[in-house]
Amino acid sequence: MLVTLFHVSRGPSLPVYQVGDVNLFGFMANGWVGVGIFFIISGYCMGMSTERDFSGGMTLSNYARYSFKRMLRIIPPYYISIAIWVLIIDVYHIAPKATAFRDIITHVTFTHNLFQDTFFNISGVFWSIGVEMQFYLLLPFIILLCRGTVSFLMVLLVCLGASIATYYSNLGIVYKWGLLNYLVLFVYGWGIYKYKSSLLYFINKTKAIYIATPAFLLLLSVNVESGNQQKMYEMGIAIIYGVIMLKLSDVIPEENRSKLLYVLLLIGQASFSIYLYNYIYHFVMPRTPSPFSIAFMFTGVLGFGVIMYLLVEVNTEKMRAKLFKNKRVPSGARLDGKYSATVTDK
């Protein structure tokens, strides 16, 4: 939702209410940090999957099975979105994006984020899908290295050092927005899941949530300069969010959910499709942005993403569940035909 709000609200008509260095509407301009936050969420969710997939250790067979499951989770909705974007860009020219053969090939092989000339093509947000898939393929080897708490902390520190090194280097965007830069957030998210019980005990004992929540909201509203400061800011706010996410996972009730929470869960389940079609607002983008038009485009993007989720992801997840004879029912598609709002296999 932060990323979507950032994309639809860019322009000279953003509302501003300044209190010192804090802009109460700064969360719109800083919504891009949602990418770093999502990588932490992704690492956390992958902790669930890898715990099952590698419970008996890692072999070539279960690594291949794990990789195939990952591809079946990502590829069907992702490839369909590529086809749709190439079609509407070439036919309607709604965005100045390249859709040449090289762009398509690099995107379907998840290598477009490794080249400067294909990095932002087809859709400006697809670069992070490449980073995500590269992390999936690397994660089992990270798990092999993290035999215990000490080895996990060493891996986390190495990733942190690599990330900071890219910030202060002269490397281009391929590196500064690549896996080397973001790996620390993935590993941090995975570690939150792995050490969930101990971390929850610490959070509850120290009341850290009462520090993390206001700090997160305050940081969302500050003015951030470009360059290295932005990257450090993204890492810091994403790490703080990890604390909030872990506490929320412990307090949100499984039953008797409010209607608002139900809607938020649906948006969360549809977040992949929402992200894939984040730029669909170009179809209806008004010439003079205003708070009303921002709200209209924001709602429209979320709605379109939810529709594509129900049309594409729910059905491809049914196929994946059948293929792997998985008894877990895909999100949004219970066998009795009713909607399910439970957390399912990422």
Side-chain angles (χ1 to χ4, degrees), residues 70-86 103-113 118-119 121-134 272-273 275-277 308 312-313 316:
R70 291 293 87 220
M71 291 178 183
L72 281 183
R73 174 67 184 94
I74 300 298
I75 282 178
Y78 175 60
Y79 280 12
I80 289 171
S81 72
I82 289 175
I84 291 174
W85 278 119
V86 170
D103 299 304
I104 295 172
I105 289 298
T106 54
H107 275 74
V108 299
T109 56
F110 301 96
T111 57
H112 55 285
N113 67 311
T118 60
F119 198 90
N121 290 347
I122 299 183
S123 176
V125 301
F126 281 178
W127 64 270
S128 65
I129 307 297
V131 175
E132 184 91 12
M133 185 58 79
Q134 290 151 21
F272 183 37
S273 286
Y275 193 74
L276 290 176
Y277 298 98
M308 294 306 294
V312 178
E313 284 191 76
T316 57

Side-chain angles (χ1 to χ4, degrees), residues 77-262:
Y78 175 60
Y79 280 12
I80 289 171
S81 72
I82 289 175
I84 291 174
W85 278 119
V86 170
L87 175 66
I88 62 178
I89 288 172
D90 289 348
V91 173
Y92 296 101
H93 308 288
I94 66 166
K97 296 291 184 180
T99 58
F101 180 74
R102 172 177 164 81
D103 299 304
I104 295 172
I105 289 298
T106 54
H107 275 74
V108 299
T109 56
F110 301 96
T111 57
H112 55 285
N113 67 311
L114 303 179
F115 306 99
Q116 185 83 31
D117 62 326
T118 60
F119 198 90
F120 287 123
N121 290 347
I122 299 183
S123 176
V125 301
F126 281 178
W127 64 270
S128 65
I129 307 297
V131 175
E132 184 91 12
M133 185 58 79
Q134 290 151 21
F135 163 69
Y136 290 155
L137 297 177
L138 185 62
L139 179 58
F141 300 100
I142 294 174
I143 294 172
L144 275 179
L145 293 173
C146 298
R147 298 287 187 176
T149 305
V150 174
S151 56
F152 166 73
L153 290 174
M154 289 180 64
V155 169
L156 189 64
L157 285 173
V158 169
C159 293
L160 177 63
S163 185
I164 294 174
T166 63
Y167 296 167
Y168 294 96
S169 71
N170 294 321
L171 297 171
I173 195 171
V174 167
Y175 300 96
K176 290 195 172 186
W177 290 28
L179 181 61
L180 189 64
N181 172 32
Y182 283 112
L183 189 57
V184 63
L185 298 182
F186 284 114
V187 174
Y188 172 69
W190 177 79
I192 289 177
Y193 178 80
K194 181 176 175 65
Y195 298 102
K196 180 178 180 178
S197 298
S198 300
L199 290 172
L200 268 175
Y201 175 81
F202 175 80
I203 291 169
N204 292 331
K205 191 77 173 175
T206 61
K207 309 294 183 183
I209 193 68
Y210 297 111
I211 299 174
T213 303
F216 176 77
L217 295 174
L218 181 65
L219 283 171
L220 265 184
S221 303
V222 300
N223 298 318
V224 184
E225 297 178 7
S226 60
N228 296 330
Q229 188 182 29
Q230 274 191 344
K231 300 303 292 182
M232 295 299 291
Y233 166 77
E234 181 183 28
M235 180 189 293
I237 198 170
I239 288 172
I240 292 172
Y241 181 80
V243 175
I244 300 171
M245 176 187 71
L246 187 58
K247 181 61 179 176
L248 284 174
S249 72
D250 190 48
V251 300
I252 292 178
E254 286 295 322
E255 303 296 335
N256 301 319
R257 289 168 170 157
S258 67
K259 291 182 179 179
L260 174 61
L261 185 55
Y262 180 86

Side-chain angles (χ1 to χ4, degrees), residues 307-324:
I307 290 171
M308 294 306 294
Y309 160 74
L310 294 173
L311 289 176
V312 178
E313 284 191 76
V314 167
N315 290 300
T316 57
E317 281 296 87
K318 285 181 181 178
M319 176 192 70
R320 187 172 73 135
K322 288 180 180 178
L323 188 62
F324 287 97

